[in-house]
Amino acid sequence: MEIVDCIYTEERETPLESHSCTVYEELRRSGQLCDVVMKTETREFPVHRAIMSASSTYFRSLFTQEVCSTDQKEVVIPGITADIMEIFVEYAYTREAKITAENIERLLPAADQFHVNGLVRACCQFLAKSLEPENCIGIYNFAKMYFCHNLQKLTYRYLMLHFSEVATESAELLQLTFDEISSVLGSDDLNVKNEEMTFMAVLRWIDYDAPNRKCHIAPLLKTVRLGLISIQYFTEKVKNHPYVKESDICKPIVIETLKFLYDLDMNDKAMDLANPLARPRIPHEVLFVVGGWSGGSPTNVVETYDPRADKWTVCDTVDTYHRAYHGTVTLDKRIYIIGGFDGVEYFNTVLCFNPMTMAWSDSANMHSKRCYVSTAVLDDTIYAMGGYNGHDRLKTVEKYQPTSNQWSIVTEMGHERSDANATSLKGKIYICGGFDGRECLHTAEFYDPITDQWTSITPMRNKRSGVGVIAYQDQVYALGGFNGSSRMNTAERFDPASSKWQTIAEMYNPRSNFGVEVIDDMVFAIGGFNGVTTISSVECFDNLSNEWFEATDMNLYRSALSACVVHGLPNIHDYIHGPMKTMEASEPEQAEGTTAEEEL
């Protein structure tokens, strides 16, 4: 386990407690008032019984039982080395402990054995902060061995979430027993972008000791959701792999999978997600879509997208307002819905939705009403930029900090922008395109919160209002939008290192005023207006192949919506596929409320 040394300091509730710790430590170091000597094999520690008793139920029992008379000046502590005892003593007096990569594997068991519970917690916190793909399996087993249940749960979640890296980088994975690797690969919580990754993990584990492990290919093959693999990959890489071909036990698995895949392909029917071959894993993140223009008016319907099942679910909860042309961001597992328009009123209101409790609450209002607002999160701060207040296009910017529940004004942008879009990347906020009341814009700029300044960057290759802007793999992507005459399906990306825009593959559908987010390491374009109708279609972009792929349509046709992604929800089952809570899609409308573009 590769881990970094640290000094653990326990919080002290009052200045008096801190002062007492200092006084007791001075007395110990000077040998004053010490009433017992704790002895190890190689060293003696003069201490105060009361102080040591306060740090451990073991020492309290030792010093208060009859066999250890208060007149006894020396006590031998068996089964502990001098360096670990020194840490115990220093922790008892100062509530500090030096935890290192060299001592952690001895310190945690000893702290557990001698009931120094504060040090047990400190060791668990230390290991939790040290988690990496290369060491998480070792830390998981360590936590399991010493009954550190919280650390065990945390490490398990880390292993599941980061399995893609563990599968390729971890040497510990190769040391797992058959039962252990089966349990990991068969888990519904396993976070894999595709099941090909699971199969490759099976091969890597077997390859490590092929003569003794290839006999396990059949049961391990059953941990792979084979029905979610393409026919081409299955026939070329799975069915024809030597381990599979040489195993008679694998033949029924191959036949069953081929039948499932061919039936799915030939009959063009929906996949049976209840079939064990195709049961999707549980996602570790879920995409929320809030509001928008649907069926001729703003909607308050909330939908969520499960990237593993490629399914949309209509939530049991709805926004307390019907709204469109608003902003939506995620911060600390909470969703903030900012500004917008209900067909009559322009909003400066901000709502907060807690997905864990499904509760809505009001946050502080913005200083300005903002429809067509651009929003982004940077360093635990929410930014609202530009927009339209019912009278003017805005260049003002304000920021919100949840801890104080206050909005404050920051430096305004270089351009008035409504119907633009923004994203954060590497400590800066980028905003692109929009409409200034006269024309659609191709300009772009970034904000640096350290200097509180906006700086122009190279203009986009196309004018884009109602544009989708998102940070993805260290670049800023600008998708679709309206150029003043038509909705576009073109897309481009900006590289801050070279200050250049590059054209990428076109989307399948032209769209403006759509949702855009990154989930499952792909860019998703969601809904929008194609120039004729509001659409429900969804597509996603994979940078590795420079291709767009179609995803399942939303349940609602909607544009002027906003999207965000929430990670690590403990109640994620409330938002993913299951007994589907769908609703009939409203008819796509031929025209919608007056947009910024239509005022041109």
Side-chain angles (χ1 to χ4, degrees):
M1 296 184 293
E2 293 187 9
I3 44 185
V4 180
D5 299 353
C6 79
I7 299 293
Y8 168 80
T9 303
E10 192 170 288
E11 280 191 30
R12 297 158 188 162
E13 293 184 359
T14 65
L16 178 60
E17 183 182 355
S18 181
H19 175 70
S20 297
C21 285
T22 302
V23 171
Y24 294 144
E25 174 65 358
E26 289 176 355
L27 290 173
R28 179 183 76 87
R29 290 191 178 278
S30 63
Q32 293 178 296
L33 304 180
C34 294
D35 53 5
V36 70
V37 175
M38 299 171 65
K39 299 180 67 173
T40 66
E41 289 186 359
T42 59
R43 189 171 167 188
E44 298 180 350
F45 297 86
V47 294
H48 304 85
R49 298 170 190 260
I51 302 300
M52 295 305 299
S53 296
S55 70
S56 158
T57 56
Y58 174 91
F59 293 131
R60 180 177 180 177
S61 176
L62 176 67
F63 292 135
T64 56
Q65 62 185 343
E66 293 182 5
V67 295
C68 184
S69 168
T70 54
D71 296 330
Q72 187 174 346
K73 298 301 182 183
E74 295 183 350
V75 177
V76 177
I77 309 296
I80 187 170
T81 60
D83 61 330
I84 298 299
M85 178 57 77
E86 183 177 17
I87 295 173
F88 282 6
V89 171
E90 289 185 355
Y91 171 76
Y93 280 83
T94 67
R95 290 298 185 264
E96 292 184 352
K98 184 177 182 181
I99 305 175
T100 70
E102 287 70 33
N103 68 26
I104 184 67
E105 294 188 45
R106 292 182 298 119
L107 180 58
L108 177 55
D112 178 63
Q113 176 186 348
F114 289 95
H115 300 170
V116 188
N117 295 330
L119 267 182
V120 171
R121 287 193 298 271
C123 289
C124 289
Q125 291 173 17
F126 174 78
L127 290 171
K129 292 178 181 178
S130 305
L131 282 172
E132 293 179 348
E134 294 88 346
N135 66 22
C136 63
I137 292 175
I139 293 177
Y140 173 81
N141 288 331
F142 197 55
K144 187 177 180 180
M145 182 183 302
Y146 293 104
F147 305 101
C148 301
H149 299 298
N150 289 335
L151 178 62
Q152 185 180 341
K153 290 178 182 178
L154 178 69
T155 310
Y156 175 80
R157 288 199 296 268
Y158 183 94
L159 169 61
M160 292 293 107
L161 179 61
H162 296 276
F163 183 75
S164 296
E165 298 96 315
V166 172
T168 56
E169 300 171 14
S170 171
E172 294 176 341
L173 181 79
L174 306 177
Q175 308 298 327
L176 294 178
T177 66
F178 164 70
D179 289 339
E180 289 170 338
I181 192 71
S182 297
S183 177
V184 170
L185 297 181
S187 173
D188 283 344
D189 294 314
L190 196 70
N191 184 31
V192 285
K193 187 174 180 180
N194 53 58
E195 289 299 319
E196 288 87 340
M197 296 176 63
T198 314
F199 180 66
M200 293 303 295
V202 168
L203 297 183
R204 183 171 178 243
W205 183 83
I206 293 177
D207 287 343
Y208 183 73
D209 185 11
N212 295 310
R213 291 181 174 182
K214 62 182 181 180
C215 60
H216 297 303
I217 182 61
L220 288 179
L221 203 56
K222 289 183 178 180
T223 67
V224 183
R225 312 292 162 92
L226 296 170
L228 301 177
I229 291 177
S230 69
I231 293 179
Q232 181 180 359
Y233 187 93
F234 182 79
T235 53
E236 293 179 2
K237 303 292 186 181
V238 181
K239 173 178 172 288
N240 289 322
H241 193 280
Y243 295 154
V244 177
K245 289 177 68 175
E246 294 168 7
S247 171
D248 291 337
I249 307 177
C250 285
K251 289 179 181 178
I253 302 173
V254 171
I255 293 170
E256 182 186 10
T257 303
L258 284 174
K259 184 179 183 303
F260 178 88
L261 293 174
Y262 280 128
D263 283 350
L264 188 69
D265 188 51
M266 297 299 292
N267 297 327
D268 195 27
K269 61 183 180 181
M271 184 177 293
D272 178 12
L273 298 180
N275 190 312
L277 286 171
R279 189 175 78 250
R281 311 274 184 177
I282 296 170
H284 289 252
E285 54 188 0
V286 63
L287 187 151
F288 284 75
V289 164
V290 181
W293 205 276
S294 182
S297 62
T299 182
N300 64 348
V301 173
V302 178
E303 289 186 69
T304 56
Y305 177 72
D306 176 347
R308 293 287 176 263
D310 187 27
K311 293 288 186 182
W312 287 90
T313 300
V314 175
C315 292
D316 293 332
T317 186
V318 294
D319 189 349
T320 56
Y321 291 87
H322 292 70
R323 73 176 81 216
Y325 304 106
H326 53 288
T328 303
V329 297
T330 304
L331 183 58
D332 192 26
K333 291 186 174 65
R334 285 165 173 77
I335 298 172
Y336 292 82
I337 298 95
I338 300 163
F341 177 61
D342 67 358
V344 178
E345 296 292 328
Y346 297 86
F347 298 146
N348 68 340
T349 55
V350 179
L351 274 180
C352 178
F353 175 64
N354 185 339
M356 293 171 284
T357 61
M358 292 192 179
W360 295 84
S361 59
D362 292 317
S363 296
N365 291 348
M366 294 182 290
H367 294 277
S368 300
K369 296 180 178 181
R370 297 181 189 271
C371 169
Y372 310 115
V373 62
S374 300
T375 55
V377 172
L378 180 62
D379 296 333
D380 295 329
T381 301
I382 299 170
Y383 290 81
M385 296 151 274
Y388 181 60
N389 62 10
H391 301 284
D392 303 304
R393 310 291 161 184
L394 304 176
K395 63 194 302 188
T396 59
V397 179
E398 45 190 308
K399 67 179 182 181
Y400 173 79
Q401 293 174 314
T403 51
S404 62
N405 190 31
Q406 288 186 334
W407 287 90
S408 55
I409 302 296
V410 301
T411 300
E412 64 184 24
M413 298 180 290
H415 295 268
E416 296 171 350
R417 298 181 191 273
S418 68
D419 223 11
N421 210 328
T423 189
S424 59
L425 176 65
K426 292 186 175 180
K428 297 179 175 61
I429 293 175
Y430 290 82
I431 188 167
C432 306
F435 179 67
D436 66 2
R438 297 173 298 278
E439 62 177 350
C440 296
L441 303 174
H442 69 313
T443 58
E445 50 191 312
F446 71 81
Y447 175 74
D448 186 339
I450 296 176
T451 61
D452 189 26
Q453 294 295 320
W454 286 91
T455 304
S456 294
I457 63 173
T458 306
M460 295 181 291
R461 297 183 175 187
N462 296 276
K463 294 181 178 181
R464 300 180 187 272
S465 181
V467 59
V469 176
I470 196 72
Y472 175 56
Q473 296 186 356
D474 295 334
Q475 296 186 322
V476 176
Y477 282 65
L479 317 173
F482 180 66
N483 62 9
S485 59
S486 63
R487 270 72 184 180
M488 299 182 292
N489 66 344
T490 60
E492 52 189 303
R493 63 188 174 202
F494 176 75
D495 182 1
S498 65
S499 295
K500 292 181 180 179
W501 289 91
Q502 176 189 15
T503 300
I504 63 170
E506 295 180 350
M507 296 185 289
Y508 287 114
N509 300 287
R511 60 181 89 215
S512 66
N513 299 102
F514 56 98
V516 59
E517 261 298 345
V518 171
I519 188 169
D520 216 16
D521 200 30
M522 290 191 288
V523 176
F524 278 73
I526 308 148
F529 189 66
N530 68 5
V532 179
T533 67
T534 297
I535 59 177
S536 62
S537 69
V538 181
E539 53 190 298
C540 54
F541 177 78
D542 184 352
N543 184 52
L544 290 177
S545 60
N546 191 35
E547 283 185 275
W548 289 90
F549 301 93
E550 292 181 333
T552 299
D553 291 356
M554 290 183 290
N555 293 288
L556 265 68
Y557 294 87
R558 57 171 111 194
S559 69
L561 64 155
S562 191
C564 63
V565 172
V566 183
H567 302 265
L569 285 176
N571 59 328
I572 197 164
H573 286 277
D574 292 334
Y575 300 102
I576 61 176
H577 91 285
M580 292 304 294
K581 299 168 286 185
T582 59
M583 60 187 295
E584 291 298 322
S586 55
E587 288 298 320
E589 60 265 22
Q590 298 300 309
E592 48 187 58
T594 303
T595 66
E597 299 92 328
E598 289 166 350
E599 294 179 10
L600 287 174

